[in-house]
């Protein structure tokens, strides 16, 4: 490339760099807008985790080429440059815009080299400067997806420059430049499809420029040969050989390209290109009228618009339409230029011919004349054709400036054009700053395009400005009443505004615009994949009503019947079937979706949830792992698989569970649930200090985290830090005054550690206010009465508690203890008392102390078992405070009981957290 630019002086290159920088510096402040969202933000092919081979299997937007919804735009090398951007700066828009600016500079410099083949040095610089500042290029340069035009143009021009070196001395063929040309054509085509059209330009160059033929001379030679009056000249044979090689290589590229798109043209709706589905003669008249429209944009780029689809340009439906005059004028002017360039020899005709080739040939793929495209007019496809336009203008300016009378005025006009174009480009760049500014600028030019109203609505919707967004969506339905997407947007916005009734009405209107089933008649209709979402959106809306679940299911099935490969319908139906408690059918739906896409991590995750519902944790874990293989940062799979491992009770899985939770908190550092579960794992592993740190971090992020507060208090109570547990319990009960287990634990600590009988009594009374039948609370209150030495009240309380739980042996035993103490005290009062009463007092004190220990042990054990363990067969045997001959439990036995108690309490609290969705 450097060799080809050898005769471009440093001053000329510096001038071009300076002019481009002056016109496009503000493009660096623009974001990702319009098509950039699909090609950059939503395109997984940019991510380093995506295999490189996917770039050559998917289209420009990251959709597999095999899918019908693919646009069939195969530009893997352009996507590769996006991927390089992502590698260095991820989604920082500045780097993407800067690289586009650099590529535009390169195109301008290479274009200057091409111009010097047909123009003098001064005119070449003029053409290059005009190309550098032309406002029509803002979409290609400032819009990131326009990089396809820039890259393709670089290799397009390089291929042409290489071909110009293929003519050797004495008209011999130099094959190396031809081979390089073929390679560069292939590269240009892999950047954007129009790159292949450079072959046509090379053919024209070979015949009319390199060999110097004119059309009359060619016709005369052909007639002579046909009449047998002459043979084919050797130079012509050589030319034919070169052309055959070029055409064969082109044919090979076309075959490969057709294979890539699997012989399928992309599916576009009538909204994208209304003329494409119109009958004759409207179709032909409109497509031909679009040619002068594009020419006018090159001549007068004052009103530019990012989207020319839908109703932007009304159909030309009659020969009497006045716009046909513009079409006729355009073809007359184009025809006269072609006649001049092909008929007459000389440098001027050669320059005009090459300019026309650059205008016409690269535009053919976007012209709609041979196959329909997904737009009416697109400014970025004029990037290469504008090169020919700039050569024509520079050539005309040279003719004028050579005349002494017009020299000054020609310079003034040139300066005015360059200055105004540069200002327009600079101003136009600001329109691409955000989606809102871009689409609002487009509405100033064109108010008949419903897509623009929709896009402004989307921009406002992204900013959560639903009220204003709704106004634009409604306006879109008024501009284009049969636009299904617009009615869907209205419905979605009403849903976001919690106006369910209005949302359903809008979705029903959209649904009525879909192809309807006609009884007894079979017909085929092409439906845009996105429009099928009306069934999904409507079903998702009405399934919030439990009585309409079957109706929602019917909508999902209707979408599937219209498109059996509609993956999202299976996914949404699977979610609904789970809600309807039909896990087996949900499993079928997800398995069907996986047949369509086995690389979707979300599907494997959803299937894992189904297996959890089916009580099959082993299969659930396998599917979580499959989701993580496809997407190692899948947050929900990381969290829930770790939780499943933790719930399994298998100590061997705890290290992996911890690693996944650590990965999760790295991805979601503000989610307190991750830290809480790390704390629970640490408690399982008896790492008390680590558990305390994780719990505190969860509480810092979410001060009212119910389970974290309780388990931190429980941790303190287990590790002999009961007094540190009290402030935590105070916080818990401030947020959740009815937290029964918190009240029981607080009461237990107050009674046993602080000796605050009054405080403990208030806790247990509060429990009974919330739940009069709470056995634990009532039993513990009985203990308080005993501590207050009110044996009669304690007896009555235990009788009532025993009525609530007649099968609890410990309540009966404690009741017997109280009654024996009442009887003992009665007997002592009837006998003679010691003179100082010390022995009686001491006996009474000992009795109370013994009962307190027994009751306290039972209180703690019972509260713990209820917190963490449902099965009561793990309840430890109690000590009897009366039968003093019963041997006491050893210290080891007591520690074992405590371990069971701790594990049981922690497990039940975790289960409660999961069930409560905390």
């Amino acid at each position: 490339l450097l060799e080809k630019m050898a005769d471009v002086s440093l001053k000329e290159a510096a001038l071009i760099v300076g002019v481009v920088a002056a016109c496009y510096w503000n493009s660096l402040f623009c974001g990702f807008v319009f098509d950039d969202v699909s090609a950059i933000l939503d395109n997984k092919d940019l991510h380093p985790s995506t295999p490189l081979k996917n770039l050559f299997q998917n289209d420009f937007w990251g959709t597999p080429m095999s899918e019908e919804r693919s646009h069939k735009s195969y530009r893997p090398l352009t996507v590769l440059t996006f991927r390089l951007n992502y590698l260095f700066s991820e989604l920082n828009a500045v780097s993407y815009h800067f690289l586009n600016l650099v590529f535009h500079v390169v195109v301008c410099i290479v274009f200057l080299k091409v111009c010097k083949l047909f123009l003098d040095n001064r005119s070449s610089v003029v053409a290059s400067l005009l190309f550098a500042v032309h406002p029509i290029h803002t979409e290609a340069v400032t819009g990131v997806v326009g990089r396809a035009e820039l890259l393709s143009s670089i290799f397009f021009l390089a291929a042409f420059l290489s071909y110009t070196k293929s003519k050797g001395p004495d008209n011999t063929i130099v094959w190396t430049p031809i081979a390089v040309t073929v390679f560069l054509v292939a590269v240009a085509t892999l950047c954007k499809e129009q790159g292949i059209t450079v072959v046509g330009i090379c053919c024209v160059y070979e015949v009319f420029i390199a060999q110097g033929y004119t059309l009359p001379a060619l016709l005369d030679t052909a007639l002579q040969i046909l009449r047998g009056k002459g043979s084919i000249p050797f130079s012509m044979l050589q030319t034919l050989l070169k052309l055959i090689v070029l055409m064969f290589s082109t044919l090979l590229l076309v075959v490969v390209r057709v294979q890539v798109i699997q012989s399928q043209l992309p599916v576009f709706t009538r909204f994208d290109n209304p003329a494409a589905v119109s009958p004759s003669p409207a179709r032909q008249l409109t497509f031909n009228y679009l040619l002068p429209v594009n020419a006018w944009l090159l001549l007068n780029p004052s009103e530019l618009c990012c989207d020319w689809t839908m109703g932007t340009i009304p159909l030309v439906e009659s020969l009497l339409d006045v716009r046909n005059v513009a079409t006729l004028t355009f073809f007359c002017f184009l025809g006269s230029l072609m006649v001049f360039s092909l008929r007459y020899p000389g440098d001027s005709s050669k320059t005009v011919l090459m300019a026309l080739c650059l205008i016409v040939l690269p535009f053919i793929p976007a012209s709609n004349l041979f196959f329909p495209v997904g737009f009416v007019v697109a400014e970025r496809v004029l990037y290469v054709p504008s090169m020919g336009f700039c050569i024509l203008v520079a050539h005309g300016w040279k003719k004028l400036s050579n005349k002494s009378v017009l020299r000054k005025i020609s310079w003034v006009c040139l300066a005015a054009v360059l200055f105004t174009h540069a200002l327009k480009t600079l101003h136009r760049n600001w329109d691409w700053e955000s989606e809102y500014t871009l689409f609002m600028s487009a509405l100033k030019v064109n108010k008949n395009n419903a897509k623009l109203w929709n896009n402004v609505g989307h921009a406002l919707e992204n900013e959560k400005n639903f009220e204003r967004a709704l106004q634009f969506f409604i306006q879109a339905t008024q501009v284009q009443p049969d636009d299904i997407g617009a009615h869907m947007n209205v419905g979605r916005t009403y849903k976001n505004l919690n106006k369910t009734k209005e949302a359903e009405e809008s979705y029903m209107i959209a649904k009525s615009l879909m192809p309807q089933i006609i009884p007894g008649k079979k017909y085929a209709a092409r439906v845009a994949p996105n429009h099928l979402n009306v069934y999904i959106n409507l079903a998702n809306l009405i399934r919030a009503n439990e009585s309409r679940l079957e109706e929602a299911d019917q909508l999902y099935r209707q979408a599937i019947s219209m498109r059996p490969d509609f993956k999202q319908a299976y996914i949404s139906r699977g979610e609904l079937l789970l809600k309807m408690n039909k896990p087996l059918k949900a499993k079928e739906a997800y398995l069907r979706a996986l047949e369509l896409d086995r690389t979707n991590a979300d599907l494997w995750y959803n299937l894992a949830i189904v297996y959890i519902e089916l009580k099959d944790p082993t299969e659930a874990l396998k599917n979580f792992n499959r989701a993580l293989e496809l997407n190692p940062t899948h947050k929900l799979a990381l969290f829930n698989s770790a939780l499943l491992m933790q719930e399994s009770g298998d100590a061997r899985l705890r290290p992996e569970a911890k690693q996944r939770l650590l990965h999760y908190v790295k991805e979601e550092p503000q989610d307190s649930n991750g830290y809480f579960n790390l704390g629970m794992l640490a408690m399982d592993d008896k790492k008390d200090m680590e558990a305390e740190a994780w719990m505190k971090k969860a509480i810092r992020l979410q001060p009212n985290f119910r389970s974290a507060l309780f388990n931190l208090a429980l941790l303190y109570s287990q590790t002999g830090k009961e007094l540190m547990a009290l402030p935590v319990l105070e916080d818990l009960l401030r947020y959740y005054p009815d937290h029964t287990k918190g009240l029981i634990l607080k009461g237990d600590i107050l009674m046993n550690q602080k000796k605050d009988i009054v405080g403990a009594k208030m806790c247990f009374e509060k429990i009974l206010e919330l739940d009069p039948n709470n056995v634990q609370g009532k039993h513990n209150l009985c203990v308080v009465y005993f501590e207050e030495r009110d044996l009669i009240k304690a007896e009555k309380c235990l009788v009532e508690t025993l009525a609530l739980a007649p099968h609890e042996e410990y309540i009966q035993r404690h009741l017997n203890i109280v009654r024996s103490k009442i009887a003992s005290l009665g007997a002592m009062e009837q006998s003679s008392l010691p003179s100082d009463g010390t022995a009686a007092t001491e006996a009474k004190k000992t009795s109370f102390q013994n009962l307190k220990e027994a009751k306290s042990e039972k209180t703690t054990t019972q509260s713990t078992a209820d917190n963490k363990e449902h099965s009561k067969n793990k309840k430890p045997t109690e000590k009897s405070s009366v039968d003093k001959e019963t041997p006491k439990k050893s210290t080891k036995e007591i520690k074992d009981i405590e371990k069971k108690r701790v594990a049981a309490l922690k497990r039940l609290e975790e289960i409660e957290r999961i069930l409560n969705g905390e």
Side-chain angles (χ1 to χ4, degrees):
L1 197 63
L2 291 174
E3 289 178 6
K4 294 180 177 66
M5 294 190 294
D7 60 347
V8 175
S9 70
L10 188 61
K11 286 183 180 180
E12 291 168 342
L15 176 64
I16 289 172
V17 171
V19 169
V20 171
C23 289
Y24 286 99
W25 63 268
N26 57 339
S27 70
L28 300 178
F29 299 97
C30 298
F32 295 116
V33 296
F34 203 16
D35 289 340
D36 297 345
V37 175
S38 299
I40 309 295
L41 300 183
D42 298 339
N43 192 347
K44 292 181 180 178
D45 287 349
L46 271 64
H47 301 170
S49 58
T50 304
L52 270 175
K53 65 177 183 178
N54 283 25
L55 272 65
F56 296 89
Q57 295 172 347
N58 298 342
D59 68 11
F60 188 51
W61 318 97
T63 306
M65 293 292 287
S66 57
E67 293 190 13
E68 186 181 346
R69 63 191 178 96
S70 168
H71 281 209
K72 311 301 181 186
S73 44
Y74 188 65
R75 303 163 193 172
L77 296 186
T78 304
V79 179
L80 183 61
T81 66
F82 293 151
R83 186 168 172 134
L84 291 173
N85 271 119
Y86 188 92
L87 187 65
F88 288 106
S89 64
E90 293 195 352
L91 294 176
N92 181 2
V94 175
S95 73
Y96 293 79
H97 288 293
F98 178 75
L99 199 53
N100 272 25
L101 193 152
V102 171
F103 285 145
H104 184 52
V105 168
V106 173
V107 173
C108 292
I109 293 173
V110 181
F111 176 57
L112 174 58
K113 166 64 179 171
V114 172
C115 290
K116 289 187 175 188
L117 296 175
F118 313 109
L119 296 169
D120 60 36
N121 199 59
R122 187 173 62 184
S123 301
S124 297
V125 172
V126 168
S128 185
L129 288 176
L130 182 58
F131 179 80
V133 304
H134 203 296
I136 202 72
H137 299 155
T138 50
E139 183 171 342
V141 181
T142 310
V144 177
V145 294
R147 186 177 299 176
E149 323 292 329
L150 306 176
L151 282 172
S152 181
S153 297
I154 291 172
F155 296 107
F156 179 101
L157 295 174
F160 177 69
L161 285 172
S162 176
Y163 188 79
T164 60
K165 309 287 186 183
S166 65
K167 182 180 177 182
D170 300 324
N171 209 23
T172 56
I173 301 175
V174 184
W175 289 106
T176 301
I178 295 177
V180 172
T181 297
V182 172
F183 172 75
L184 291 172
V185 169
V187 173
T189 306
L190 289 174
C191 294
K192 193 176 181 185
E193 298 79 2
Q194 68 183 26
I196 202 169
T197 59
V198 72
V199 173
I201 294 173
C202 292
C203 290
V204 173
Y205 173 84
E206 176 64 33
V207 174
F208 296 100
I209 310 299
Q211 301 302 327
Y213 291 112
T214 61
L215 189 60
L218 277 177
L219 291 173
D220 184 57
T221 303
L223 285 172
Q224 292 291 333
I225 294 169
L226 289 172
R227 290 171 182 170
K229 295 181 179 180
S231 59
I232 302 175
F234 180 71
S235 61
M236 187 173 284
L237 286 173
Q238 286 188 309
T239 299
L240 283 173
L241 181 60
K242 291 169 76 173
L243 295 183
I244 288 170
V245 170
L246 278 179
M247 296 308 294
F248 179 78
S249 62
T250 305
L251 183 62
L252 190 62
L253 284 173
V254 170
V255 169
V256 171
R257 184 68 175 82
V258 170
Q259 288 296 317
V260 166
I261 66 171
Q262 299 183 2
S263 304
Q264 293 177 341
L265 287 175
V267 178
F268 299 114
T269 67
R270 58 192 175 88
F271 301 112
D272 297 320
N273 191 348
V277 295
S278 299
S280 299
R283 175 186 173 115
Q284 290 76 18
L285 291 174
T286 304
F287 283 159
N288 281 288
Y289 171 67
L290 294 179
L291 300 178
V293 169
N294 280 281
W296 181 248
L297 286 174
L298 289 172
L299 278 169
N300 180 27
S302 59
E303 292 188 339
L304 299 177
C305 180
C306 63
D307 193 305
W308 294 80
T309 57
M310 303 189 85
T312 303
I313 299 176
L315 296 174
V316 182
E317 298 180 293
S318 168
L319 290 170
L320 300 177
D321 193 311
V322 70
R323 290 175 292 175
N324 290 318
V325 175
T327 306
L328 189 62
T329 303
F330 170 78
F331 277 109
C332 287
F333 180 71
L334 185 66
S336 62
L337 286 176
M338 289 181 69
V339 168
F340 168 76
S341 61
L342 291 172
R343 184 172 182 179
Y344 302 104
D347 292 340
S348 181
S349 61
K350 290 178 180 179
T351 301
V352 172
L353 178 61
M354 293 311 300
L356 288 177
C357 285
L358 280 168
I359 292 173
V360 174
L361 295 179
F363 186 72
I364 286 176
S367 66
N368 283 289
L369 297 177
F370 296 98
F371 49 84
V373 293
F375 52 84
V376 179
V377 172
E379 292 164 13
R380 62 173 174 262
V381 303
L382 292 174
Y383 188 77
V384 176
S386 69
M387 295 177 184
F389 171 78
C390 292
I391 290 174
L392 274 181
V393 172
H395 183 58
W397 173 82
K398 185 184 81 169
K399 294 287 187 184
L400 291 174
S401 63
N402 285 339
K403 296 180 180 180
S404 57
V405 180
L406 300 174
R407 183 173 299 147
K408 287 185 179 180
I409 195 167
S410 66
W411 277 100
V412 170
C413 289
L414 175 65
V417 167
L418 291 175
F419 181 71
T420 54
H421 276 46
L423 278 183
K424 173 65 178 178
T425 298
L426 191 67
H427 182 263
R428 174 65 174 158
N429 288 334
W430 289 120
D431 291 341
W432 292 81
E433 185 177 13
S434 69
E435 293 212 316
Y436 180 77
T437 56
L438 178 64
F439 297 126
M440 285 301 291
S441 71
L443 281 176
K444 293 175 184 176
V445 175
N446 170 29
K447 290 182 171 58
N448 295 322
N449 187 342
K451 192 173 177 181
L452 293 175
W453 294 99
N454 279 319
N455 284 333
V456 175
H458 287 310
L460 292 167
E461 188 180 30
N462 291 336
E463 297 171 1
K464 308 300 181 186
N465 191 346
F466 298 122
E467 293 285 356
R468 279 199 68 204
L470 182 62
Q471 297 173 11
F472 282 89
F473 288 142
I474 290 174
Q475 183 62 35
T477 63
Q478 293 172 354
V479 170
Q480 189 87 34
D482 59 349
D483 182 4
I484 296 171
H487 291 288
M488 289 168 63
N489 291 335
V490 172
R492 186 181 60 256
T493 310
Y494 273 131
K495 182 184 178 183
N496 289 331
L497 292 169
N498 294 318
K499 296 182 178 180
T500 308
K501 182 181 177 183
E502 291 87 346
E504 184 174 348
E505 289 172 357
S506 296
Y507 283 140
M508 290 301 291
I509 293 172
K511 181 172 172 282
S512 69
L513 294 170
M514 296 289 287
Q516 302 298 308
I517 296 173
I518 303 173
K521 184 178 179 182
K522 185 176 181 180
Y523 69 100
R526 181 164 274 180
V527 179
N530 287 341
H531 289 169
L532 283 173
N533 283 324
V534 67
Y535 296 100
I536 306 300
N537 294 348
L538 182 57
N540 290 346
L541 180 71
I542 66 175
R543 79 181 194 186
N545 185 341
E546 295 288 340
S547 65
R548 301 181 69 184
L549 297 183
E550 289 292 345
E551 186 180 346
D553 189 33
Q554 177 61 34
L555 285 166
Y556 290 136
R557 283 184 280 135
Q558 188 173 353
I560 290 169
S561 69
M562 294 182 73
R563 191 181 183 92
D565 63 346
F566 191 14
K567 181 176 62 182
Q568 187 56 49
Y570 291 106
I571 295 172
S572 298
R573 185 167 185 245
E575 294 168 1
L576 176 68
L577 290 168
L578 273 179
K579 187 175 182 179
M580 295 169 72
N581 198 25
K582 297 179 179 179
L584 288 173
K585 286 191 174 182
K587 177 183 170 183
E588 289 176 14
Y590 286 132
L591 289 174
R592 180 71 182 93
L594 281 169
E595 289 176 14
L596 299 169
D597 183 7
R598 299 190 67 82
T599 62
N600 189 321
D602 291 334
L603 279 174
W604 292 104
Y605 170 80
N606 289 349
L607 189 58
I609 299 299
V610 171
Y611 279 114
I612 288 176
E613 292 293 322
L614 291 170
K615 306 292 188 295
D616 190 345
T618 304
E619 280 299 317
L621 189 56
K622 285 180 183 177
N623 285 282
F624 279 138
N625 292 341
R626 190 67 186 270
L628 290 170
E629 286 172 14
L630 293 166
N631 181 7
T633 61
H634 196 292
K635 298 169 189 174
L636 289 173
L638 284 169
F639 181 81
N640 286 291
S641 62
L643 203 60
L644 197 61
M645 291 175 178
Q646 188 178 354
E647 282 298 303
S648 70
D650 187 344
R652 294 171 300 178
L653 294 176
R654 284 181 199 158
E656 178 61 22
K658 182 178 180 180
Q659 288 304 312
R660 292 189 183 188
L661 285 172
L662 288 171
H663 194 167
Y664 175 77
V665 296
K666 183 180 178 182
E667 295 291 326
E668 286 288 341
Q670 299 303 311
D671 187 358
S672 55
N673 287 294
Y675 302 105
F676 168 74
N677 281 283
L678 281 166
M680 297 300 288
L681 272 175
M683 287 177 75
D684 284 340
D685 290 332
K686 309 300 180 188
K687 297 177 180 177
D688 299 332
M689 292 182 65
E690 184 181 331
E692 180 184 351
W694 289 125
M695 292 293 182
K696 284 182 174 178
K697 190 157 189 177
I699 293 167
R700 277 198 299 272
L701 287 170
Q702 186 182 338
N704 65 340
F705 195 155
R706 172 182 168 132
S707 296
L709 286 166
F710 178 79
N711 280 285
L712 180 60
L714 184 62
L715 179 66
Y716 284 142
S717 72
Q718 293 168 5
T719 52
K721 302 175 183 177
E722 288 87 351
L723 297 182
M724 291 179 69
L726 278 177
V728 180
L729 288 168
E730 292 290 348
D731 289 340
L732 172 68
L733 294 170
R734 185 172 71 252
Y735 290 116
Y736 307 100
D738 58 348
H739 196 290
T740 305
K741 290 184 286 296
L743 288 165
I744 288 175
L745 187 57
K746 181 183 177 184
D748 184 56
I749 293 171
L750 288 174
M751 185 164 62
N752 293 314
Q753 302 299 321
K754 298 264 297 185
K755 311 303 180 186
D756 182 357
I757 306 300
V758 176
K761 184 178 181 180
M762 290 174 63
C763 289
F764 301 137
E765 286 177 341
K766 173 71 173 176
I767 293 169
L768 294 178
E769 284 178 22
L770 297 168
D771 180 11
N773 295 324
N774 188 292
V775 174
Q776 296 167 245
K778 196 163 185 68
H779 174 266
N780 291 358
L781 186 60
C782 300
V783 176
V784 171
Y785 291 149
F786 195 93
E787 285 291 324
E788 292 175 340
R789 304 187 181 187
D790 190 340
L791 295 179
I792 302 301
K793 204 168 186 180
E795 180 190 22
K796 182 183 177 184
C797 177
L798 284 167
V799 169
E800 292 172 355
T801 307
L802 188 60
L804 293 173
H807 301 295
E808 292 291 354
E809 182 186 349
Y810 73 93
I811 300 174
Q812 181 65 60
R813 188 180 305 134
H814 292 172
L815 179 59
N816 292 339
I817 293 170
V818 172
R819 284 175 174 170
S820 69
K821 296 305 174 188
I822 292 173
S824 171
L825 288 173
M828 287 175 64
E829 288 172 0
Q830 293 176 7
S831 63
S832 57
L833 294 173
S835 58
D836 58 359
T838 303
T841 304
E842 187 63 32
K844 188 175 179 181
K845 181 178 179 182
T846 303
S847 299
F848 273 109
Q849 184 64 35
N850 286 341
L851 182 60
K852 175 188 172 186
E853 288 172 2
K855 296 292 185 185
S856 297
E857 179 191 340
K858 188 60 205 178
T859 300
T860 304
T861 305
Q862 179 65 10
S863 68
T864 305
D866 189 67
N867 278 331
K868 282 292 183 180
E869 190 67 48
H870 287 295
S871 56
K872 295 184 179 179
N873 58 353
K874 291 187 179 181
K875 185 170 63 182
T877 307
E878 296 177 68
K879 291 188 290 182
S880 170
S881 57
V882 180
D883 187 3
K884 295 187 179 181
E885 293 183 5
T886 304
K888 292 186 177 181
K889 293 186 183 293
S890 67
T891 304
K892 184 177 184 304
E893 287 175 311
I894 292 172
K895 285 183 177 179
D896 288 339
I897 290 170
E898 181 65 17
K899 285 180 181 178
K900 290 179 181 179
R901 177 181 75 83
V902 169
L905 182 58
K906 182 155 62 69
R907 182 63 56 201
L908 189 61
E909 179 62 23
E910 185 183 351
I911 291 168
E912 182 203 44
R913 181 189 67 78
I914 296 168
L915 293 175
N916 291 339
E918 291 181 8

